[in-house]
Amino acid sequence: LAADGLIGARVGSGTVVLSRPEASPATDALPWRQLFAADTNLSPAIRDIIRAALRQDVIPLAASEPSPDLFPMEEVRALADSIFERQGAEALRYAAVEGLPALREAIARRLADRGARTTADNVVVTAGAQQALSILARCFVEPGSEVAMETPTYLGAIQAFRAQGARLVPVPVDAEGMRVDSLEQTLARRSVRCVVTIPNFNNPTGAVMSLERRLRLLEVTRRYGVPLIEDDVYGETWLESPPPAPLIAGKPADHVIHVGSLSKALFAGLRVGWIAAAPAVAERVALIKQTTDLFCGTFSQWLAARILEEGVFDRHVARVRPVYRRRRDVLVAAIERYAGRYLSVNRPAGGSFLWCRLADGLRARELLPYAGAAGVTFVPGDLFSVAGNDEGGFRVGFSLPPEEVLEEGAKRLGGAIEALASRRGVVSAAIGAPPLV
Ligand SMILES: Cc1ncc(COP(=O)(O)O)c(C=O)c1O
């Protein structure tokens, strides 16, 4: 208010509302809010989740991030040294917007190993999957364009498409992934510009799309000639058995646009993600990317390429899988123990989070201040909802903290739920079936 000249303060007289905004308020700051372009649905949600994950004084069950204690630091350090020995100053130069050939090759080879007919020419390296989604939104969306998006889904995808002015048409997710029957009705009635799905370990429900649904989804979207964006950032995070082949490995697959990232199975700080798609899409994506950051960091790309080529990635993922499986089981058991009277929780077969559903009468948003006071964070379900209405759901991550901290986090969460429930007069809950999966 002071910056906008609406209130003023004088020593000895306190703060007063000014009858007329002063031309030059206490500072010389411009009234920035009035100068910005129209709000494009910008939201602080992801920033706040990442900030909370970096805090030392709260238990970050809001996070969905691999654990730094498990990073293969010795191997990575040796690779970093060898890059400076072999590539020298080249590793710090400008690079092609599409990405380093070595990294595009390595990504294409991994996709080919999973059954796709992808070559390096189909791949564009992006600053994480978030940039990939944002570029794809720019690629297909004009203000008012309709985009079919599964719900609940990754909040960053909702934001990226809304920021371009998309009108999101929700398609429900169940235990087998996106409801393709519902999508088909949408495609028959509306002019949809693209379809967005997370077939492997949907964020936040952990649902994995069945093979039958995948085949039907490929067929339906092809029949309507609609681009199908598959966000596969969790594809390599399976804990029980590998999920079915990615959609880009299907037939037909020319209309499939595959988004991947190293953030969830390795580490997020490299900011290496990618889009693999038909040559015309790859070309368009590269031109859009060049307007935002010219290209991804050359050194990060060299490191990512060597990590993939030298088997560091595969060894790491195999080594941490049992650790994450245990963390998942510890958190499920602790949540059931400390909060089972008031919620149901799932046990996903991969990803890095559990999806909880509160008993009737309790809302996740209302739980936030209680959890904050208890020193634990989580993500309320409405943020993942395309319609913004999943009020009883919330997500807790199991990948970042070690087992004893997960246990303590669940205990704090349980205490917070007890406090909210007694405030609301919910004595004990009639809990239904676990959510979705
Ligand atoms: C489904 C999904 N897609 C994309 C992203 C963004 O990942 P990145 O770190 O690669 O930008 C996330 C991160 O949480 C996610 O859950």
Side-chain angles (χ1 to χ4, degrees):
L1 292 174
D4 288 349
L6 299 174
I7 58 169
R10 239 173 234 115
V11 178
S13 358
T15 300
V16 292
V17 176
L18 299 173
S19 52
R20 210 163 20 92
E22 283 185 352
S24 66
T27 70
D28 61 357
L30 283 178
W32 287 112
R33 273 159 223 250
Q34 294 160 34
L35 300 173
F36 292 144
D39 182 5
T40 48
N41 297 296
L42 297 173
S43 154
I46 298 180
R47 179 191 66 185
D48 293 349
I49 292 169
I50 292 173
R51 267 191 194 160
L54 295 171
R55 277 173 59 178
Q56 302 295 322
D57 57 334
V58 290
I59 295 181
L61 298 187
S64 153
E65 184 184 345
S67 189
D69 325 335
L70 304 174
F71 289 174
M73 291 312 296
E74 283 310 315
E75 282 180 294
V76 170
R77 195 202 318 254
L79 286 182
D81 288 347
S82 81
I83 289 164
F84 281 124
E85 271 157 34
R86 285 198 215 166
Q87 271 73 39
E90 288 295 314
L92 299 173
R93 290 190 58 194
Y94 275 94
V97 61
E98 294 85 357
L100 288 184
L103 179 55
R104 296 169 74 201
E105 291 281 351
I107 292 165
R109 246 194 317 275
R110 292 195 75 80
L111 283 170
D113 287 347
R114 294 171 74 195
R117 277 163 300 162
T118 306
T119 68
D121 292 340
N122 302 117
V123 175
V124 178
V125 179
T126 58
Q130 184 62 40
Q131 188 186 48
L133 292 168
S134 171
I135 290 174
L136 291 171
R138 275 183 67 189
C139 204
F140 294 110
V141 170
E142 287 143 15
S145 302
E146 291 194 311
V147 170
M149 194 174 272
E150 65 188 21
T151 189
T153 195
Y154 170 52
L155 57 155
I158 296 176
Q159 289 172 13
F161 281 83
R162 287 227 168 104
Q164 286 308 119
R167 293 205 347 248
L168 302 182
V169 184
V171 183
V173 171
D174 67 15
E176 283 184 60
M178 180 187 257
R179 288 274 307 275
V180 181
D181 54 339
S182 166
L183 174 70
E184 195 166 358
Q185 289 172 12
T186 296
L187 295 182
R189 285 200 217 110
R190 295 165 181 264
S191 166
V192 163
R193 302 296 283 266
C194 56
V195 174
V196 187
T197 179
I198 308 171
N200 292 327
F201 314 112
N202 160 280
N203 182 359
T205 67
V208 176
M209 193 182 288
S210 64
L211 181 58
E212 197 192 330
R213 289 258 178 102
R214 287 177 201 239
L215 297 176
R216 195 151 163 229
L217 177 59
L218 284 168
E219 187 277 313
V220 166
T221 44
R222 183 69 193 97
R223 183 153 33 93
Y224 283 92
V226 181
L228 172 57
I229 297 173
E230 102 169 302
D231 179 350
D232 190 35
V233 298
Y234 294 103
E236 310 261 11
T237 65
W238 52 269
L239 299 175
E240 311 290 351
S241 53
L247 293 165
I248 198 171
K251 286 193 193 75
D254 186 65
H255 66 302
V256 177
I257 301 170
H258 181 92
V259 171
S261 166
L262 294 184
S263 291
K264 303 300 177 177
L266 186 69
F267 26 75
L270 278 185
R271 304 310 298 141
V272 166
W274 56 87
I275 291 171
V281 180
E283 160 81 7
R284 187 77 163 192
V285 161
L287 295 180
I288 296 172
K289 178 173 165 62
Q290 198 145 57
T291 69
T292 74
D293 64 355
L294 301 187
F295 63 96
C296 289
T298 314
F299 184 75
S300 270
Q301 291 193 68
W302 273 114
L303 196 52
R306 300 293 302 283
I307 283 171
L308 293 173
E309 279 165 5
E310 311 268 327
V312 175
F313 180 86
D314 287 323
R315 281 196 297 281
H316 174 71
V317 173
R319 184 174 65 85
V320 297
R321 191 165 283 133
V323 181
Y324 288 133
R325 201 183 300 134
R326 268 199 312 280
R327 288 187 184 185
R328 174 200 60 184
D329 293 342
V330 163
L331 188 59
V332 170
I335 295 237
E336 280 172 346
R337 184 165 347 112
Y338 294 113
R341 288 172 59 207
Y342 298 107
L343 54 71
S344 53
V345 56
N346 71 350
R347 183 188 303 269
S352 59
F353 35 75
L354 315 177
W355 181 233
C356 303
R357 188 160 294 287
L358 288 164
D360 288 348
L362 297 177
R363 298 220 301 254
R365 280 272 162 191
E366 289 175 344
L367 181 59
L368 275 178
Y370 291 86
V376 62
T377 62
F378 65 86
V379 189
D382 59 312
L383 288 176
F384 302 100
S385 165
V386 169
N389 61 358
D390 207 332
E391 289 162 349
F394 68 92
R395 190 192 82 177
V396 284
F398 59 78
S399 57
L400 182 59
E403 290 174 31
E404 61 286 1
V405 179
L406 289 172
E407 177 86 24
E408 173 62 22
K411 193 171 172 188
R412 293 182 187 186
L413 196 58
I417 297 174
E418 286 277 354
L420 172 66
S422 69
R423 216 4 161 26
R424 288 280 162 278
V426 177
V427 182
S428 177
I431 307 289
L436 288 169
V437 284

